[in-house]
């Protein structure tokens, strides 16, 4: 993943009451930790008719990106099949994070293995990989899942004081 440029979200002209102190710019490493440690995140996608759709997802950090699993026939998977553009939001005590990007199915077996390993480590959720899909053999019927990786375009981080904001451009 390219290293993002971090900058203040607001300039002097439009900042009030937001901070314009460059010392308040959050490092990308903090945003990454937020995604790595968040118990869940919210994924927003767009339906074919343009209406928004938001759902919680379990998110892991693998291959230097935020990744999630969903059933292939789910609304979010069908939305992403039409347009991969999405927003992923997560929070920790010191940061509220909004990540805009493009979600795409993970095409390679090695990538799917790393994501499955990340799910096992973070959530103790174990996937069996067969073909291009992942299966939860611990559930009746061994439901099928697919993995998505989000490539960020920009992200926004807001501090707990409500007055500090950082934008990361990729």
């Amino acid at each position: 993943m390219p290293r993002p440029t971090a900058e203040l979200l607001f300039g002097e002209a439009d900042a009030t009451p937001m901070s314009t102190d460059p010392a308040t710019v959050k490092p990308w490493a903090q945003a990454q930790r937020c995604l790595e440690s968040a118990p869940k995140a919210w994924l927003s996608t767009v339906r074919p008719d343009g209406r928004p759709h938001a759902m919680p997802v379990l998110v892991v950090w693998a291959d230097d990106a935020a990744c999630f699993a969903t059933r292939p026939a789910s609304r979010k998977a069908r939305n992403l099949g039409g347009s991969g553009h999405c927003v992923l939001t997560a929070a920790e005590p010191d940061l509220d994070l909004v990540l805009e990007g493009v979600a795409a199915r993970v095409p390679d077996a090695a990538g799917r293995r790393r994501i499955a390993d990340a799910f096992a480590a973070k959530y103790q959720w174990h996937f069996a990989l067969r073909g291009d899909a992942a299966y939860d053999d611990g559930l009746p019927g061994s439901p099928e899942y697919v993995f998505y990786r989000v490539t960020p375009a920009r992200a926004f981080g807001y501090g707990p004081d409500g007055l500090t904001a950082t934008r990361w451009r990729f």
Side-chain angles (χ1 to χ4, degrees), residues 145-158:
Y145 290 84
V146 291
F147 294 142
Y148 284 85
R149 179 182 297 124
V150 179
T151 300
R154 70 189 56 78
F156 304 91
Y158 300 91

Side-chain angles (χ1 to χ4, degrees), residues 22-88:
T24 65
V25 170
K26 308 282 187 198
W28 176 248
Q30 184 177 1
Q32 180 180 332
R33 279 192 309 274
C34 179
L35 288 167
E36 287 175 326
S37 65
K40 68 178 173 187
W42 287 88
L43 176 70
S44 298
T45 60
V46 180
R47 296 171 191 262
D49 65 4
R51 292 181 298 133
H53 178 260
M55 291 298 287
V57 294
L58 300 180
V59 65
V60 296
W61 191 262
D63 292 340
D64 209 23
C67 303
F68 62 91
T70 189
R71 303 288 302 275
S74 69
R75 168 49 52 201
K76 58 188 157 292
R78 290 180 297 167
N79 290 349
L80 292 170
S83 171
H85 294 281
C86 65
V87 175
L88 194 61

Side-chain angles (χ1 to χ4, degrees), residues 28 98-101 151-156 167-170:
W28 176 248
V98 178
L99 178 74
E100 297 178 358
T151 300
R154 70 189 56 78
F156 304 91
R167 172 178 42 221
W168 295 276
R169 296 178 198 228
F170 295 84

Side-chain angles (χ1 to χ4, degrees), residues 84-158:
H85 294 281
C86 65
V87 175
L88 194 61
T89 60
E92 65 175 15
D94 294 327
L95 184 71
D96 292 323
L97 180 66
V98 178
L99 178 74
E100 297 178 358
V102 177
R105 283 182 64 164
V106 177
D108 60 296
R112 288 190 298 274
R113 169 50 49 209
R114 289 187 293 274
I115 293 168
D117 290 346
F119 271 103
K122 183 174 180 180
Y123 297 107
Q124 292 72 53
W125 189 8
H126 300 277
F127 289 101
L129 301 179
R130 296 190 289 275
D132 291 340
Y135 297 86
D136 186 342
D137 289 341
L139 292 176
S142 296
E144 178 183 350
Y145 290 84
V146 291
F147 294 142
Y148 284 85
R149 179 182 297 124
V150 179
T151 300
R154 70 189 56 78
F156 304 91
Y158 300 91

